[in-house]
Amino acid sequence: MKDTGQGISPEYLRTKIFTAFAQDNARRDGTGLGLSIVKSIVSLLHGEIDVRSIVNVGTIVTVTLRMFLPEKT
């Protein structure tokens, strides 16, 4: 996922990005749950999540999940 919004501060990325109900900017819409829920689901699926952001440029969120082919019987 990629956006061209306000971006996320480096300090928030380091300390609170996956914390439920936390927001980098409390004056913006939202509850601060989105990435904490995504992180929980990705962890349950043994995947990885990477968030890169630049303030005033935007954010890129990459989710990587391992996919296995079923064994032939």
Side-chain angles (χ1 to χ4, degrees), residues 8-46:
I8 302 168
S9 70
E11 178 65 21
Y12 187 84
L13 277 174
R14 276 193 305 278
T15 61
K16 294 185 180 179
I17 192 68
F18 299 115
T19 302
F21 301 107
Q23 291 180 295
D24 192 23
N25 182 343
R27 289 177 271 170
R28 302 296 261 171
D29 291 337
T31 59
L33 283 174
L35 282 175
S36 66
I37 292 170
V38 171
K39 176 69 173 171
S40 295
I41 293 168
V42 169
S43 292
L44 287 171
L45 296 171
H46 305 286

